[in-house]
Amino acid sequence: MSQEQQPQPAPTATATGNTLPPGVGQPPAPPPPPQPQPMSVPTATTSTITATAPAPPPAVHSTGVPTNAHTTNGNATAASGILSGPGGLVGVIPPPTMTATPKPDIPIGPLDDTRKFFLANIAYSMTAQEVKQWFGRFGTVNHVKIVYDKQGKSKGYGFLFMHTAEGSRAVDNFAEQNNYKITMLGRSNVHCARHDEQKAQAMRASRIPNGGPPSGR
C-alpha cells in the first residue's frame, strides 16, 4: 500500500540571513482607520471703525451788526442779518421769534371810567380771561385789558372794568379792606385800586422831560 504524500511547508527565512520580502507568505495589513478631521468653525472678525470728526464749517461773518444784536465776550453777534463766508453769501439770520399775544377780551358793553380799576404786579402768565373769571365773584365783569409789549410779553399790569355800579363798589370795598394789595390767582401783593385818570395823567407828565415827548419812546 503506497504512502500518502505529505504537504510541503511554506518556505521560511533561513539562518543564512535571507529574509522574505514584506507581505510574502503573510496576510496583508488592514488599512489604518480614517482620522477625524477637525471642524473649522468660522470666527467672527471684528473691524475697528474710526470715527472722523466732520470738518468745521467755514468762518461766517456778518456783513453788518443790526440794532438788535447782542454781545458775547465783547464780540457782537447779529440777532438777524445777512451772513457771508469764504464762498460768498451763506444765508440770512432769521429775526427774533415773536411771542403770540393772547386773544384780547371783548367788552360786553360800553366802557365806563367810573367803574375802572388799575391792576399792577400781576403775574406775566395771567390772561385777561383768568382775571375776568376771578373778579366775577364780585359781579359781572365788562372788560379786562392786560398791557403787552411789542414782542407780545405781558408788562405785568392792566385794567378792569366792572359792568355795574354794585360790582364796582364790591371790588372797591374788597381792595380797601386789604389796603389795595390783594391776593389773586395765587399771587400776592397785586395792586388793585380805582383808576384815577387825572392822577395817571399827572404821573405820565412827570416822566416827560421839559413837557416834550418822552425820550426814547
Side-chain angles (χ1 to χ4, degrees):
M1 188 173 179
S2 62
Q3 295 180 352
E4 294 181 359
Q5 295 181 354
Q6 297 295 328
Q8 297 297 324
T12 60
T14 62
T16 60
N18 295 326
T19 59
L20 296 176
V24 177
Q26 298 178 2
Q35 298 295 327
Q37 298 295 329
M39 296 181 64
S40 60
V41 179
T43 58
T45 59
T46 59
S47 59
T48 303
I49 300 176
T50 303
T52 303
V60 176
H61 306 282
S62 174
T63 57
V65 179
T67 57
N68 59 347
H70 60 276
T71 58
T72 303
N73 298 327
N75 298 323
T77 303
S80 64
I82 300 176
L83 298 179
S84 60
L89 180 65
V90 174
V92 178
I93 300 177
T97 303
M98 305 291 289
T99 302
T101 303
K103 184 178 179 180
D105 178 57
I106 304 301
I108 63 175
L111 301 180
D112 188 348
D113 286 342
T114 63
R115 303 168 186 173
K116 182 179 180 180
F117 293 84
F118 176 65
L119 305 175
N121 195 36
I122 62 177
Y124 295 127
S125 60
M126 288 184 185
T127 64
Q129 295 298 328
E130 291 174 338
V131 176
K132 187 174 186 177
Q133 183 178 4
W134 191 88
F135 276 100
R137 67 190 65 190
F138 302 105
T140 303
V141 178
N142 186 1
H143 176 56
V144 171
K145 178 182 179 181
I146 295 179
V147 181
Y148 295 91
D149 61 14
K150 294 180 180 180
Q151 282 71 39
K153 296 180 180 180
S154 171
K155 290 186 175 182
Y157 69 92
F159 302 93
L160 164 71
F161 293 85
M162 298 302 293
H163 188 56
T164 64
E166 293 78 10
S168 179
R169 284 194 297 269
V171 173
D172 197 12
N173 293 334
F174 176 75
E176 185 178 3
Q177 292 171 4
N178 291 274
N179 198 24
Y180 304 101
K181 299 291 183 181
I182 66 174
T183 299
M184 179 182 64
L185 297 172
R187 183 172 179 86
S188 59
N189 294 325
V190 174
H191 175 77
C192 176
R194 280 188 181 270
H195 178 70
D196 189 339
E197 185 61 29
Q198 292 182 353
K199 183 178 179 181
Q201 289 180 358
M203 292 181 62
R204 287 194 293 267
S206 64
R207 300 191 187 104
I208 302 176
N210 301 325
S215 60
R217 298 181 62 185

